[in-house]
Amino acid sequence: MEDLVIRDAEVVDGTGAPSYRADVVVDGGRIVSIVKEAAAAGCQRPSAMRELDAEGLVLTPGFIDMHAHSDLALLRDPDHSAKAAQGVTLEVIGQDGLSYAPVDDRTLAEVRRAITGWNGSGDDIDFDWRSVGEYLDRLDGGIAVNAAYLVPQGTVRALAVGWEDREATPAELDRMRRLVAEGLEQGAVGMSSGLTYTPGMYAKDAELTELCRVVASYGGYYCPHHRSYGAGALEAYAEMVALAREAGCALHLAHATMNFGVNEGRAPELLALLDEALAAGADISLDTYPYTPGSTTLAALLPSWAGEGGPDAVLARLADDATAERIRHHLEVTGSDGCHGVPVEWHTIEISGVGDPALAGWVGRRLDGWAAARRLLLEDRLATSILQHVGHEENVRAIMRHRVHTGGSDGILQGAKPHPRAYGTFPHYLGHYVRELGVLSLEECVAHLTSRPAARLRLPDRGVVREGYRADLVLFDPATVAAGSTYERPRALPTGIPHVLVDGRFVIEDGRRTDVLAGRSVRRTPV
């Protein structure tokens, strides 16, 4: 007898097609039978060892978070309700060009310090891996939800070149090619870049193109956090489109926003650029989160030259009064490349987390100028995370409607006051933008969150409710589903999502997290 039958669910299958009522049977981690309109037809109802009455609930594929920062959280926190409670059954990590594999001892120590604000210091983690394959093997020990990995180009550059602002030598470029190839062979689904973060931002387009050729040869995709989301944002998007087309590589634009005052109302220009490239045959997709503010580290705002040499060199520059004044001029007058070419408006910067508990009084405060920012960077040793209140609602709505759009939380789980997107992105799409505003229909929205990302990841058996597919499933109440998280209570869990299954096993049951660790690494599908 089969494991589970979900009775009388309203199935939104992820393809964008109209919903239908059905009994769905799960066995051995897969969907084995779908009986449409079983009750109305008067036919023999399927049976199983367990029955779940889904009357009034919508059944969809599990949501795929195309931009997650759970690289250490998946190991640190077996509960991981931040994502499981949202209905997320797969996260894509290794984002923004910086993560923890491939590394050697030196690079690991440097990267850990550089992205403490994203993932914590890692003092509670046993870093018993160095390669991408070893990291994925570690995830296979059992995690809350599934995870796919992108080879982080900035980490690769730190390993092969260091943190210097210079072109790679031919030998160094060859080593980077090999490192990217090895990561893909070991299961990574593509490569990410953080082109406003050091050291990845030091790579010229020719270098990135060569690495993307490697990615393309393995059927992976390139996921850049491109060089600007502010002044020059459209040029930065166009640069990535041209680079990927030159390399023959699929392109997925990370957190594709149009932020800062210079871009208010300009989302249609971005979408026109993408439509032109798509019409010419380019393979492009993108992800966004359904909120206006951004989130990053305070150190990320610094100009690229201030980051050369790594974290210790940054702190030395900040401690020197003359150099600190030069940094201030770039931040406040000329527009730092770390802040997307736009002069920092300090009142938009809210402290969301600190590394040093003694500095907890800063959390929730807005910065009043460079002196405060400099002091905090030094005292917290670059570990401070921030919210940056610079987005535009009309841009958010326009971009989420596009046919190549997917959902990505960009959720930083660290800090006392993280961005609510970390805990609320997917129910916020369903509750606010579907039910309340009608920006997307339910069927359209679910397709954005399931089958489209599965297609980008080249997953042959996920992202759709279909017989033979994996039973990564979500059941939610369309009348009540909503993000519980707010800017005041960012870790509040969603409402209206009583059941979530990963590989046919309940990770959320009756609204509560179980002790099931059914998640594993999801590795690249061979070409």
Side-chain angles (χ1 to χ4, degrees):
M1 183 174 286
E2 282 76 16
D3 295 333
L4 170 69
V5 59
I6 302 169
R7 294 211 183 280
D8 295 322
E10 190 66 23
V11 177
V12 177
D13 68 6
T15 66
S19 66
Y20 59 86
R21 194 174 180 86
D23 291 353
V24 177
V25 182
V26 172
D27 189 60
R30 293 188 180 269
I31 300 166
V32 297
S33 177
I34 300 173
V35 182
K36 295 184 179 181
E37 303 292 348
C43 62
Q44 180 70 35
R45 303 293 295 271
S47 60
M49 288 187 291
R50 175 175 177 183
E51 297 184 2
L52 175 65
D53 181 4
E55 180 71 37
L57 298 179
V58 169
L59 173 69
T60 74
F63 305 136
I64 298 176
D65 188 343
M66 285 296 286
H67 193 105
H69 288 284
S70 302
D71 306 47
L72 299 185
L74 285 162
L75 300 175
R76 172 185 295 122
D77 177 20
D79 180 84
H80 202 47
S81 287
K83 295 302 178 66
Q86 291 187 62
V88 171
T89 59
L90 170 59
E91 300 184 89
V92 185
I93 55 179
Q95 298 286 352
D96 294 330
L98 289 167
S99 190
Y100 306 94
V103 292
D104 57 13
D105 291 350
R106 170 190 62 81
T107 306
L108 175 61
E110 292 167 343
V111 169
R112 284 178 60 183
R113 291 187 61 192
I115 54 175
T116 292
W118 293 355
N119 297 311
S121 67
D123 289 343
D124 53 347
I125 301 293
D126 178 11
F127 289 91
D128 59 353
W129 69 84
R130 291 297 180 268
S131 71
V132 170
E134 290 167 345
Y135 175 66
L136 297 179
D137 289 345
R138 177 74 177 273
L139 298 179
D140 284 341
I143 49 181
V145 302
N146 297 308
Y149 189 73
L150 295 165
V151 178
Q153 171 260 329
T155 299
V156 167
R157 196 172 212 272
L159 181 55
V161 180
W163 296 70
E164 290 76 39
D165 183 1
R166 64 173 176 82
E167 291 189 20
T169 67
E172 289 167 341
L173 181 56
D174 281 344
R175 187 181 182 200
M176 285 191 281
R177 287 193 194 98
R178 289 195 302 273
L179 289 167
V180 172
E182 288 168 2
L184 291 159
E185 288 168 0
Q186 292 164 10
V189 295
M191 181 181 77
S192 74
S193 284
L195 300 179
T196 64
Y197 300 124
T198 58
M201 68 192 302
Y202 298 143
K204 302 295 191 292
D205 282 1
E207 178 180 313
L208 296 171
T209 300
E210 287 302 307
L211 299 182
C212 282
R213 292 188 200 280
V214 176
V215 175
S217 72
Y218 285 89
Y221 69 93
Y222 180 42
C223 181
H225 164 126
H226 52 279
R227 297 191 193 275
S228 177
Y229 290 82
L234 288 173
E235 292 81 1
Y237 281 112
E239 175 193 9
M240 293 297 101
V241 170
L243 187 155
R245 295 194 71 186
E246 172 68 20
C249 188
L251 176 66
H252 181 84
L253 297 165
H255 37 59
T257 60
M258 290 289 286
N259 284 341
F260 301 93
V262 295
N263 290 319
E264 185 172 2
R266 299 188 71 189
E269 297 176 60
L270 167 61
L271 300 180
L273 184 157
L274 298 181
D275 284 337
E276 181 180 357
L278 288 163
D283 183 359
I284 301 173
S285 55
L286 57 86
D287 65 67
T288 68
Y289 45 83
Y291 298 87
T292 49
S295 178
T296 186
T297 61
L298 183 58
L301 305 183
L302 301 176
S304 57
W305 59 263
E308 187 174 7
D312 287 334
V314 177
L315 290 168
R317 292 184 181 103
L318 288 167
D320 178 76
D321 288 343
T323 309
E325 171 57 23
R326 184 181 167 206
I327 292 172
R328 183 204 66 78
H329 184 80
H330 276 257
L331 285 170
E332 296 184 346
V333 180
T334 63
S336 160
D337 51 2
C339 193
H340 310 282
V342 176
V344 173
E345 297 176 303
W346 292 112
H347 69 276
T348 69
I349 307 298
E350 178 184 1
I351 304 304
S352 61
V354 292
D356 184 349
L359 300 171
W362 283 93
V363 174
R365 290 171 54 182
R366 303 283 183 118
L367 291 178
D368 59 6
W370 167 239
R374 180 190 178 193
R375 173 187 166 193
L376 188 53
L377 284 163
L378 284 166
E379 292 184 1
D380 205 28
R381 298 189 65 77
L382 311 181
T384 307
S385 55
I386 63 170
L387 302 183
Q388 195 167 15
H389 295 270
V390 293
H392 302 285
E393 178 66 18
E394 67 273 21
N395 287 346
V396 170
R397 296 188 193 187
I399 294 169
M400 74 169 64
R401 292 189 186 102
H402 197 271
R403 66 187 185 280
V404 300
H405 169 267
T406 68
S409 71
D410 195 14
I412 294 174
L413 300 169
Q414 291 298 303
K417 196 172 184 284
H419 197 302
R421 69 193 186 195
Y423 284 73
T425 284
F426 295 86
H428 196 51
Y429 269 120
L430 297 167
H432 186 59
Y433 287 97
V434 172
R435 184 181 64 244
E436 295 175 3
L437 299 180
V439 173
L440 295 167
S441 71
L442 180 58
E443 288 84 355
E444 288 174 319
C445 185
V446 170
H448 288 231
L449 307 181
T450 60
S451 65
R452 288 185 187 174
R456 167 52 70 218
L457 295 167
R458 297 178 60 244
L459 303 177
D461 58 356
R462 300 177 194 264
V464 178
V465 178
R466 183 173 293 164
E467 291 179 359
Y469 275 48
R470 289 188 178 272
D472 294 346
L473 301 169
V474 182
L475 286 142
F476 62 87
D477 182 347
T480 63
V481 63
S485 59
T486 64
Y487 293 100
E488 292 72 33
R489 299 179 63 243
R491 286 194 171 87
L493 295 179
T495 58
I497 306 179
H499 304 292
V500 181
L501 292 86
V502 174
D503 202 33
R505 301 169 66 192
F506 285 90
V507 296
I508 300 291
E509 185 173 9
D510 295 324
R512 297 179 180 276
R513 178 72 172 94
T514 70
D515 60 1
V516 168
L517 295 175
R520 299 293 187 270
S521 68
V522 173
R523 307 197 187 205
R524 181 185 60 86
T525 302
V527 178

